[in-house]
Amino acid sequence: MGIEIEQPCVELSNVAVSETHGEDSPYFAGWKAYDENPYDELSNPSGVIQMGLAENQVSFDLLEKYLEEHPEASTWGKGAPGFRENALFQDYHGLKTFRTAMATFMEKVRGGRVKFDPQRVVLTAGATAANELLTFILANPGDALLVPTPYYPGFDRDLRWRTGVNIVPIHCDSLNNFQITPEALECAYKDAEAMNFKVRGVLITNPSNPLGITIPRSVLEEILDFVTRKNIHLVSDEIYSGSVFSSSEFTSVAEILEGREYKNAERVHIVYSLSKDLGLPGFRVGTIYSYNDKVVTTARRMSSFTLISSQTQHLLASMLSDEKFTENYIETNRERLRKRYEMIIEGLRSAGIECLKGNAGLFCWMNMSPLLEKPTREGELKLWNAILHQVKLNISPGSSCHSSEPGWFRVCFANMTEHTLEIALQRIRHFVERIRTQTESV
Amino acid sequence: MALLNKNTHQLLSKIATNDKHGENSPYFDGWKAYNSNPFHPTKNPQGVIQMGLAENQLCFDLIEEWIRNNPKASICTKEGVNCFKYIANFQDYHGLPEFRKAVANFMSKVRGGRVRFDPDRILMSGGATGANELIMFCLADPGDAFLVPSPYYPAFVRDLCWRTRAQLIPVECHSSNNFKITTEALDEAYNKAKEDNINVKGLIITNPSNPLGTTMDRETLKSIVGFINEKNIHLVCDEIYAATVFRAPSFVSVSEVMHEIEHCNSDLIHIIYSLSKDLGLPGFRVGIVYSYNDGVVNNGRKMSSFGLVSSQTQHFLAALLSDENFVERFLAESSRRLAARHSHFTKGLEKVNITCLPSNAGLFCWMNLRSLLKEKTFEGEMMQWRLIINEVKLNVSPGSSFDCSEPGWYRVCFANMDDETVDVALKRIRAFVGKETGKPVELKRCKSNLRLSFSSRRFDENVMSPHMMSPHSPMPHSPLVRAT
């Protein structure tokens, strides 16, 4: 083999070696435990049940039925007549039929209360890409975005990793059901200033992940007033807008803007995706809807790095243009999610566990603080470990979502069958009984 | 709807307001001319012919036939819908294992089976555009530089520098040695950068070359691998045109050569690939990063979340590329058709004494119009180019848009049209040359009737004019949208 010559290590970039991708966090142990011992109804009924994944699996049958009844949607039709045109299509404007269908779908999800212009729809490969792309456009490295806590852990990667932008939390707590207050907004702004970060915008998720609640109209008005006063942007990630259990309970920032006749609208940008509402995360379908012309133009150019496969655009254009299908889907999906939600809330309540009163999303925000040994982050992690290894449920601890109060957990309910959910609830009941018995006997 | 408040313009980032997206270049005029007057054999025979688009439209019939015979590859057909739920839900950034395996095998086949690729080293990205940006994010910090031999693909500026904030340092190549990269040129560029206090992190080459259409010979490739090892910098090889090689010499990939270099540090070697050129599927956004560096694979994989390939598309391609019979037939036939097209076009040019750089790959040729330049300067080239656009009505790409050091060269694409359109283009070039040289154009063959007749149906079946490709797009196409 010859003499080994020590190779000097060539450095990778700072971005490549940083940990901002977030995957070295302790919560990864939960995923590992699941991967090593995944629950299966038949083959592994005592395995770890995955309740950390916000996936919507309750309405696939509706999609499958659509495909069976509409062979023309089948990739390129019989004999593949549209194939070559589709295969060549890489225009970053996206397929017009698809953009139009997306705009229409977004309108339907908002009960027709607001209109969306297909020319303002920019397509990206998933909301992950949309959020990063917007951050590149709205902020310079070292700047900050204000984000209400608790928030989706993936934001740490999506908003910060390659962009070099900081997240400064807007603290929310259970005293007022985790609502965003003007005081909290001002406080976060001052925190950023104290750290010498220039604040470029506020990013909200509405409905909220992990809280599973919609933001009330009055709060949205306050947030809009705040960003206008500070002359900064507002990004509203409305990825769960179709997962609201009752349509009338969701107010989109688009509706507020319409009410204000679009005054100051050019600082507002909406992110959407089909990963949650339609349960199609694999297809990588994200959009940015911006009221700012320059943002639309720039975002469109930047989307070259992350376009949606034309094959997928073609399929979804067909599906989402079918108004009868989409109306029925939206309604049925809502109803099924609502039922699931009620099932889990009831099940937890019968075990003596309360949740934040939610009205949207694929998860509930569960309060286990009474069971903590110590009301600290360590106490929460200890409880989480017990739930993972003894109860064999992978749920998400609030600290992974930057919650300032220990003891809250996000529990997903839409990525499994009802039967599995029953099993999970039984396990929780037994666990809580065991703890109560132990505490009482001490 | 919303008026653009001038205040908010200042509210956007530096990246959002600089020019690195590349769309403000003067070459836009060629695209504008095409978009406002696109050629069509019957509806608009005097229109501008698109020869600036490096697309491979020669073999769609083979893929269409395969699709008809393999309905299971689609998750929408009744034969394939049982996979719908699993595929639609699959967002793992590792990618479908069968997809990665099929791509690894395909890459190996394209290299004549001379090298094997490990499916676990395959990362996905949003087309080669996304892949090139991803590898730069992994290798370069803001301000770091990569050497790039010129002439080079114009959109590298956007892909490698825009959001990464890295910079490119061109390494000039000259026609005197057929634009080969020399270690002298590399050394000179590297040393100058060092003097200027610029941190050079690597070298990026495109092999086969865009715009030259040539493959790199083994010796040059070995010397490049030696160079980057000596300087301890990265080597990124964009091998996106690997399967467009249509005649000897055959393609030599960096993956074959790296093992022939003593003490080659494989941590420095990275390959970029895509299915946009070899298979003609740019719409599907299949970009691949293949790295021999574990750190890049592990962290790059996390980064691929920003541009994963649609699982529907992964599923389809896994089936297509696993069909070994199809792949073998496709590669052979594609080569054959490219060779025929290249030969027909270059011979047509030779009839009027226009030469191209001798080439054996790519979807274009590197045409030499230096003898026809009124002034042997870049201004002269611009003037000549505008003539070609506005009077000859061909959208070709001038060498200066590729940062070529010598004026008078043009990249001319020939695989994105049918035979008849090629002949129209040749006819126009012949007429142009005749005017420029003042000599009547003599052809070896005399055609009394130069009117070419088409069956428009045949045209529609065999080729999609770029104009027809996106009839719904309301806005003019950027050249960078169509990946020059």
Side-chain angles (χ1 to χ4, degrees), chain A residues 5 13 122 179 222 234 323 409:
Chain A
I5 295 184
S13 67
V122 177
Q179 300 276 24
E222 278 164 0
L234 175 61
E323 302 218 357
F409 292 81

Side-chain angles (χ1 to χ4, degrees), chain B residues 425-437:
Chain B
L426 284 171
K427 190 170 79 126
R428 291 185 188 179
I429 294 176
R430 283 198 285 270
F432 170 68
V433 172
K435 263 173 64 185
E436 294 292 291
T437 57

Side-chain angles (χ1 to χ4, degrees), chain A residues 10 13-14 16 23 55 57 75 84-85 87 89 91-92 96 136-137 140 266 282 301 306 309-312, chain B residues 5 13-14 23 74 88-89 93 137-138 141 232 268 283 299 306 310-313 461-462 470 472-473 481:
Chain A
V10 187
S13 67
N14 290 332
E23 292 191 24
E55 280 176 357
Q57 296 193 24
T75 317
R84 65 183 66 199
E85 177 174 357
F89 187 87
D91 182 347
Y92 60 25
K96 187 166 186 219
F136 269 120
I137 290 177
N140 291 315
E266 70 277 2
R301 287 178 176 149
T306 182
S309 168
S310 53
Q311 178 192 22
T312 301
Chain B
N5 181 337
S13 68
K14 296 192 181 102
E23 292 189 19
S74 163
N89 214 39
Y93 57 33
F137 267 122
C138 289
D141 289 318
N232 203 25
L268 300 175
N299 283 338
F306 298 112
S310 166
S311 53
Q312 176 195 19
T313 302
E461 279 169 20
N462 288 341
S470 42
H472 312 292
S473 176
V481 164

Side-chain angles (χ1 to χ4, degrees), chain A residues 12-21 23-24 161-162, chain B residues 93 123 134 137-138 293-306:
Chain A
L12 301 185
S13 67
N14 290 332
V15 161
V17 304
S18 89
E19 290 186 351
T20 317
H21 50 70
E23 292 191 24
D24 294 337
W161 190 16
R162 306 192 304 182
Chain B
Y93 57 33
L123 307 181
L134 193 152
F137 267 122
C138 289
N293 180 315
D294 291 347
V296 169
V297 171
N298 290 325
N299 283 338
R301 187 182 284 127
K302 298 172 170 101
M303 247 185 237
S304 64
S305 297
F306 298 112

Side-chain angles (χ1 to χ4, degrees), chain A residues 184-259:
Chain A
L185 287 165
E186 286 288 349
C187 205
Y189 193 91
K190 290 199 174 69
D191 286 344
E193 282 185 325
M195 292 188 272
N196 262 322
F197 296 155
K198 182 151 189 248
V199 177
R200 300 301 283 231
V202 171
L203 189 145
I204 59 176
T205 307
N206 179 27
S208 161
N209 172 14
L211 302 174
I213 55 174
T214 55
I215 299 181
R217 178 176 273 272
S218 56
V219 176
L220 284 175
E221 300 266 12
E222 278 164 0
I223 295 173
L224 206 35
D225 289 340
F226 174 79
V227 300
T228 307
R229 255 191 339 266
K230 302 290 190 195
N231 197 20
I232 59 180
H233 294 275
L234 175 61
V235 177
S236 182
D237 185 342
E238 302 189 349
I239 192 176
Y240 291 99
S241 45
S243 310
V244 185
F245 308 146
S246 157
S247 158
S248 56
E249 294 193 22
F250 174 59
T251 307
S252 162
V253 72
E255 298 173 54
I256 311 280
L257 289 175
E258 211 201 39

Side-chain angles (χ1 to χ4, degrees), chain A residues 106-292:
Chain A
M106 286 170 71
E107 286 171 3
K108 286 215 166 2
V109 160
R110 289 152 186 74
R113 295 184 293 273
V114 72
K115 291 216 71 57
F116 288 107
D117 175 3
Q119 309 260 55
R120 293 192 171 282
V121 172
V122 177
L123 302 172
T124 62
T128 300
N131 280 315
E132 187 197 44
L133 198 150
L134 266 178
T135 307
F136 269 120
I137 290 177
L138 305 180
N140 291 315
D143 289 345
L145 291 176
L146 307 181
V147 182
T149 65
Y151 62 79
Y152 164 54
F155 279 159
D156 287 332
R157 172 197 60 194
D158 300 348
L159 308 180
R160 302 183 320 157
W161 190 16
R162 306 192 304 182
T163 60
V165 172
N166 302 292
I167 294 178
V168 173
I170 302 166
H171 295 291
C172 303
D173 56 56
S174 60
L175 287 175
N176 70 339
N177 290 324
F178 298 91
Q179 300 276 24
I180 303 161
T181 64
E183 294 75 32
L185 287 165
E186 286 288 349
C187 205
Y189 193 91
K190 290 199 174 69
D191 286 344
E193 282 185 325
M195 292 188 272
N196 262 322
F197 296 155
K198 182 151 189 248
V199 177
R200 300 301 283 231
V202 171
L203 189 145
I204 59 176
T205 307
N206 179 27
S208 161
N209 172 14
L211 302 174
I213 55 174
T214 55
I215 299 181
R217 178 176 273 272
S218 56
V219 176
L220 284 175
E221 300 266 12
E222 278 164 0
I223 295 173
L224 206 35
D225 289 340
F226 174 79
V227 300
T228 307
R229 255 191 339 266
K230 302 290 190 195
N231 197 20
I232 59 180
H233 294 275
L234 175 61
V235 177
S236 182
D237 185 342
E238 302 189 349
I239 192 176
Y240 291 99
S241 45
S243 310
V244 185
F245 308 146
S246 157
S247 158
S248 56
E249 294 193 22
F250 174 59
T251 307
S252 162
V253 72
E255 298 173 54
I256 311 280
L257 289 175
E258 211 201 39
R260 297 181 177 202
E261 290 171 356
Y262 298 104
K263 209 160 143 260
N264 277 305
E266 70 277 2
R267 61 181 74 256
V268 180
H269 325 279
I270 298 175
V271 170
Y272 187 55
S273 160
L274 299 181
S275 298
K276 311 297 179 183
D277 292 347
L278 278 183
L280 306 172
F283 288 3
R284 316 314 300 145
V285 181
T287 77
I288 295 170
Y289 188 92
S290 176
Y291 294 91
N292 183 316

Side-chain angles (χ1 to χ4, degrees), chain A residues 69-93:
Chain A
E69 291 171 2
H70 293 87
E72 73 280 6
S74 140
T75 317
W76 300 289
K78 268 186 139 187
F83 172 71
R84 65 183 66 199
E85 177 174 357
N86 186 245
L88 285 168
F89 187 87
Q90 59 169 330
D91 182 347
Y92 60 25
H93 293 87

